[in-house]
Amino acid sequence: MGGRRVDWAALRTPRDEAPAEGLRERKKRATRRLLVNTATELFLARGFDAVRVADVADAAGVSEKTVFNYFPAKESLILDRPDATLAALRVELGDPARTPVEAVLRVLAGELAGVTGWLEDQRDRRAAGAGFRRYGELIHATPALAAYQRDLLDELAAGAAQLLAVRAGLATADPEPQLAATALVGLWRVQFGSLAKHVDAGHTPARIRGAVTTDVLRAARLLESGLGSFARTRRPAAKDTSKTTGVNPAAKTPASTKPARTSRQARTGT
């Protein structure tokens, strides 16, 4: 099985060690790393459903309560909430010079660099690559994990819709930010699928990075024409029932038309 040759915790939080951590923070980070590595190895060896949280606690030498102090659910031992991604999106979407697609591509590029950097850092890249493939297969083959991952992507889409609405001067519940966010989150699905495909082919980390980037850019081109003008779409300052909410007067085309078309394109592309 490879024991601790693969550092799964580093995959989830690559190269993010805080340089000025105190002793308490370092201990907490070490415990979290231990729990992630222990749980992931157990899940890969036995299957997610066959391993109890108590089993993880026993193998890590801690109490079950300690596990839940760090992770709110069994699924979160292997899948993270999208907090870091949303924080990065907040920064990238805050630049009005970038389209939403460009902003998302920058975030995805950073996350891809994290994965390929993780592969480069592993002492046994062959074991890391094989483990990464099994990691993805475990998620797809386990209904509880697949459902949890869908919930996390829904959470990411909801957060992205809120950020896009603020950027465009719309309400989060308006159709434009909702559809735009759904389409943009489709790029994460493309990246996940492309990673699985190219890691499975046994490529070097550099080649994986290039191949996945190519796939993501192909998908992004389907979105750019529809979402490129999203930031220029703003709600009229005065309410006017004779006009459709969300119309871009310069384009004389309902802004909702473009994101709706983009959403369909994203589904066919994934």
Side-chain angles (χ1 to χ4, degrees):
M1 187 171 63
R4 289 292 184 269
R5 287 184 296 169
V6 178
D7 187 355
W8 297 104
L11 174 62
R12 292 175 62 158
T13 53
R15 296 187 172 108
D16 72 338
E17 296 291 336
E21 281 185 326
L23 178 60
R24 176 183 173 84
E25 288 73 23
R26 287 199 301 273
K27 286 183 175 180
K28 288 176 66 175
R29 185 182 292 274
T31 300
R32 182 179 177 86
R33 181 181 297 273
L34 171 65
L35 292 174
V36 167
N37 285 332
T38 301
T40 303
E41 291 290 352
L42 287 173
F43 295 153
L44 290 175
R46 305 181 193 173
F48 181 79
D49 293 329
V51 177
R52 303 170 303 161
V53 173
D55 297 329
V56 175
D58 288 343
V62 300
S63 69
E64 188 171 351
K65 180 180 178 182
T66 296
V67 177
F68 283 114
N69 284 342
Y70 283 86
F71 299 95
K74 179 183 172 183
E75 291 82 1
S76 62
L77 280 159
I78 195 169
L79 289 169
D80 276 327
R81 293 183 66 244
D83 296 341
T85 297
L86 283 172
L89 266 180
R90 189 172 295 109
V91 172
E92 299 299 341
L93 287 172
D95 185 347
R98 297 191 186 110
T99 67
V101 171
E102 290 169 344
V104 167
L105 287 176
R106 288 173 65 88
V107 176
L108 284 166
E111 294 181 351
L112 176 59
V115 173
T116 55
W118 171 80
L119 282 170
E120 290 174 340
D121 290 343
Q122 299 307 301
R123 288 182 298 173
D124 188 337
R125 290 183 188 172
R126 185 182 299 274
F132 185 87
R133 294 192 296 273
R134 289 164 49 218
Y135 183 93
E137 291 165 359
L138 175 69
I139 293 170
H140 288 296
T142 307
L145 288 176
Y148 192 77
Q149 186 178 56
R150 288 193 296 271
D151 289 344
L152 295 180
L153 287 172
D154 287 345
E155 185 179 341
L156 177 59
Q162 185 176 26
L163 293 171
L164 289 165
V166 170
R167 173 178 168 133
L170 300 170
T172 302
D174 283 341
E176 294 90 348
Q178 290 290 323
L179 289 173
T182 298
L184 288 169
V185 168
L187 292 177
W188 269 272
R189 296 183 185 276
V190 171
Q191 180 147 297
F192 295 158
S194 184
L195 267 169
K197 176 175 65 177
H198 293 296
V199 171
D200 186 60
H203 296 326
T204 64
R207 189 173 176 186
I208 291 169
R209 187 183 302 116
V212 172
T213 297
T214 297
D215 286 347
V216 172
L217 289 176
R218 284 177 58 191
R221 281 194 290 271
L222 295 177
L223 306 184
E224 189 62 71
S225 62
L227 297 183
S229 62
F230 182 83
R232 296 190 293 276
T233 302
R234 300 190 67 83
R235 182 186 296 280
K239 292 183 178 180
D240 186 346
T241 56
S242 66
K243 295 182 179 180
T244 303
T245 301
V247 169
N248 182 339
K252 293 182 171 47
T253 303
S256 59
T257 300
K258 291 183 177 180
R261 184 164 58 250
T262 296
S263 180
R264 290 195 294 273
Q265 291 172 336
R267 287 197 295 272
T268 59
T270 55

